[in-house]
Amino acid sequence: LGDPEQAPEIIEAYREACREHGRQPGEIIFQAAFAWADDERAAIEGARHWKPTQLPELYLEDIADQEDMQRRADEQMTDEQFAKEGFLIGADPQEHIERIREMERAGATVICLQLIGRADPLGSIRTYGERVLPALRQTAVGAS
């Protein structure tokens, strides 16, 4: 959920502080929301109600009106930015695999995935179970 550009620097500072103080580093946990459907547009539309969660002001201001939140989100980002920069949303399982690999390379030791898609939730679970997770297990980062 954090900024992927800042994460490696923050994680390294944390690990360095652990080394300096003789402490064992804990898990580095990343959380990501995902949605899959066999059609790109359907995947995005099925998760679009989460688009306002990408707005910084949502966490700083008292914005209670869902329509206002959605309007602000639509003004500030495209659906594609929401789907590709903020969440793991799309029809290509390989893209999901690559984006999860990016999180591992950024330093995550645990990645929690939350299904947010309404387009095909059972298909999302099936696709992750049959294609995404097995591919991640076969080529684990750091594995020989």
Side-chain angles (χ1 to χ4, degrees), residues 24-99:
Q24 193 74 316
E27 298 285 359
I28 306 296
I29 303 170
F30 282 20
Q31 178 181 347
F34 77 98
W36 177 91
D38 61 4
D39 174 77
E40 188 78 13
R41 189 81 242 151
I44 292 170
E45 279 302 313
R48 168 167 214 292
H49 63 283
W50 288 90
K51 189 175 179 181
T53 64
Q54 299 295 29
L55 302 176
E57 65 264 29
L58 190 68
Y59 304 98
L60 303 171
E61 300 173 24
D62 185 15
I63 307 169
D65 183 335
Q66 179 64 38
E67 289 179 20
D68 184 30
M69 286 186 240
Q70 199 70 48
R71 180 190 53 74
R72 290 177 188 223
D74 288 339
E75 288 172 355
Q76 293 182 40
M77 72 187 78
T78 67
D79 285 351
E80 287 70 26
Q81 287 172 310
F82 149 71
K84 305 305 177 188
E85 295 174 16
F87 293 106
L88 303 169
I89 301 172
D92 181 2
Q94 191 60 41
E95 180 183 348
H96 288 248
I97 293 164
E98 290 306 315
R99 302 254 332 269

Side-chain angles (χ1 to χ4, degrees), residues 109-130:
T109 57
V110 173
I111 299 173
C112 299
L113 297 169
Q114 175 187 0
L115 175 59
I116 62 168
R118 294 178 180 169
D120 188 0
L122 293 177
S124 297
I125 293 168
R126 187 173 34 260
T127 298
Y128 264 65
E130 293 173 358

